[in-house]
C-alpha cells in the first residue's frame, strides 16, 4: 500500500511538473508574441489629409483590434518626409513605433539629400499597403491635346513654351516629367511646389499647363472636366480610368511608375514582432472599408508576407537610384 502511494505521489509530482513546464512554455510564447507597448504609434511623415495620412488612419482601428493595444497616428511632417522617416529609423526596435512610408521617403530621397540615416538600411519592411499609379494630365484650355503623342508634338514645336508642376523636387511626379524629357528629348521647365495640392491647384487655374498626379487625387477633377487625363503610368489600364491608355500603350516603353505605400519598423526589430505586425496590417487591409477605399484609389492588391515586401524594396531602391541619376534631378 505504501509503495503504491509513493508511486502515485511520484506520478502526481511528475504530472504537476510537466503541466507547469507546459504552462511556462505557453506563457513564455504568449509573452513573446505580445508587444511590450502601451500603444503602437504609426508615424505619418506628411501633414494630415494626404494619402499617407489617410492610409495610416485607415489601418489603425483594425490593427488595434488585432494587436490588443491602442494604435495611434502621429504626423511628423517636414523635409520631404525625411524628419518622420529618420525619427522611426532611430526608434527602439520593439514594434511600438512604425512608419507609414512611401517611395519618396524610403528609396528616392536617399539619392537627393545628404541624410543622416539611409532609410533602406535603418528601416525593416513590414507590409506593403497600396500602390497607386500616376496620371499625366493637362489643363485643356492651355494645352489643346488629347494624347501623349500630341503633347510631344507641342513640346517639340515650341521647346521653351511649356512647364510642368510637381509637389516637390524628387517626388515621383517630378521624376515622371523628367523621364518624358529624357526618353523623348524634349524640354519642359519643372515648377516645384510645396506639396501636390498646390501643384494641382495651379494646373487647374492655368498657371502651369502640365503635371502628373496620383489617380486618388486627380480623379474628381478629371471627371469634372477641370483637367484632361492623357495617360496613366500603370502597367495595365486602371479600373478607375478604363478609357485612358497607359504610357506604355502611348509609345513610352517601360514607363511604369506607381506611388507605393508601406509600413516599416526600425531595423533590427525581432522577426517574430515583424511577422505579428505583418499579420495585423494584412488583416486591416482585408477589412471591407479598406478594400473599398483602396479600390477607389485605383490601388492594386499588394498584401503579402513581410519577406515579399523586403524583396520588393531591395529591387525598387536601385531602380530609383538610376532614375534620379539619369534624370539629373536636383533638390531645388
Amino acid at each position: 500500500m505504501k509503495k503504491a502511494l509513493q508511486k502515485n505521489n511520484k506520478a502526481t509530482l511528475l504530472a504537476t511538473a510537466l503541466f507547469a513546464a507546459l504552462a511556462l512554455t505557453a506563457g513564455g510564447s504568449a509573452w513573446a508574441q505580445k508587444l511590450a507597448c502601451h500603444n503602437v504609434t504609426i508615424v505619418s511623415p506628411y501633414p494630415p489629409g494626404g494619402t499617407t495620412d489617410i492610409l495610416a488612419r485607415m489601418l489603425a482601428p483594425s490593427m488595434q483590434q488585432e494587436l490588443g493595444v491602442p494604435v495611434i497616428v502621429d504626423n511628423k511632417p517636414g523635409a520631404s518626409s525625411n524628419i518622420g522617416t529618420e525619427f522611426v529609423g532611430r526608434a527602439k526596435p520593439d514594434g511600438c513605433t512604425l512608419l507609414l512610408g512611401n517611395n519618396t521617403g524610403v528609396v528616392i530621397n536617399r539619392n537627393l539629400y545628404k541624410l543622416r540615416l539611409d532609410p533602406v538600411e535603418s528601416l525593416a519592411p513590414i507590409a506593403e499597403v497600396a500602390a497607386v499609379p500616376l496620371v499625366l494630365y493637362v489643363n485643356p484650355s492651355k494645352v489643346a491635346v488629347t494624347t501623349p503623342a500630341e503633347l510631344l508634338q507641342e513640346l517639340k514645336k515650341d521647346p521653351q513654351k511649356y512647364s510642368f508642376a510637381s509637389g516637390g523636387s524628387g517626388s515621383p511626379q517630378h521624376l515622371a516629367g523628367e523621364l518624358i524629357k529624357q526618353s523623348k528629348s524634349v524640354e519642359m521647365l519643372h515648377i516645384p511646389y510645396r506639396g501636390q495640392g498646390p501643384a494641382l491647384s495651379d494646373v487647374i487655374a492655368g498657371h502651369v499647363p502640365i503635371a502628373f498626379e496620383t489617380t486618388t487625387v486627380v480623379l474628381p477633377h478629371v471627371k469634372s472636366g477641370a483637367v484632361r487625363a492623357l495617360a496613366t503610368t500603370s502597367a495595365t489600364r486602371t479600373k478607375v480610368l478604363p478609357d485612358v491608355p497607359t504610357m506604355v500603350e502611348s509609345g513610352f516603353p517601360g514607363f511604369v511608375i506607381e506611388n507605393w505605400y508601406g509600413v516599416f519598423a526600425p531595423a533590427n526589430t525581432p522577426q517574430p514582432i515583424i511577422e505579428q505586425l505583418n499579420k495585423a496590417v494584412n488583416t486591416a487591409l482585408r477589412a471591407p472599408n479598406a478594400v473599398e477605399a483602396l479600390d477607389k484609389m485605383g490601388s492594386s492588391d499588394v498584401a503579402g508576407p513581410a519577406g515579399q515586401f523586403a524583396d520588393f524594396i531591395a529591387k525598387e531602391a536601385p531602380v530609383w537610384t538610376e532614375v534620379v541619376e539619369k534624370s539629373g534631378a536636383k533638390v531645388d
Side-chain angles (χ1 to χ4, degrees), residues 88 92 98 123 151 193-194 220 237 244 246 278-279 301:
V88 176
K92 186 178 179 181
L98 309 177
L123 298 172
L151 177 61
Y193 287 78
R194 292 182 179 274
R237 294 196 183 196
V244 177
T246 66
N278 173 267
K279 180 184 176 184
D301 183 5

Side-chain angles (χ1 to χ4, degrees), residues 134-222:
L134 304 179
V135 178
L136 170 61
Y137 70 99
V138 297
N139 180 307
S141 66
K142 298 296 181 180
V143 191
V145 300
T146 58
T147 67
E150 292 176 358
L151 177 61
L152 287 177
Q153 290 176 359
E154 284 294 315
L155 295 176
K156 289 177 179 177
K157 185 168 63 177
D158 195 342
Q160 305 302 319
K161 181 178 179 180
Y162 294 102
S163 57
F164 75 102
S166 85
S169 294
S171 65
Q173 289 87 340
H174 168 212
L175 295 176
E178 296 294 342
L179 280 176
I180 287 182
K181 292 165 59 177
Q182 173 196 323
S183 62
K184 299 299 182 181
S185 299
V186 293
E187 289 299 322
M188 289 187 292
L189 176 65
H190 175 227
I191 309 295
Y193 287 78
R194 292 182 179 274
Q196 288 302 131
L200 174 63
S201 295
D202 262 18
V203 176
I204 292 173
H207 301 308
V208 184
I210 305 162
F212 280 90
E213 184 51 275
T214 59
T215 51
T216 312
V217 175
V218 81
L219 186 60
H221 306 287
V222 172

Side-chain angles (χ1 to χ4, degrees), residues 12-30:
T12 301
L13 288 170
L14 181 62
T16 302
L18 181 60
F19 178 80
L22 288 171
L24 182 63
T25 301
S29 174

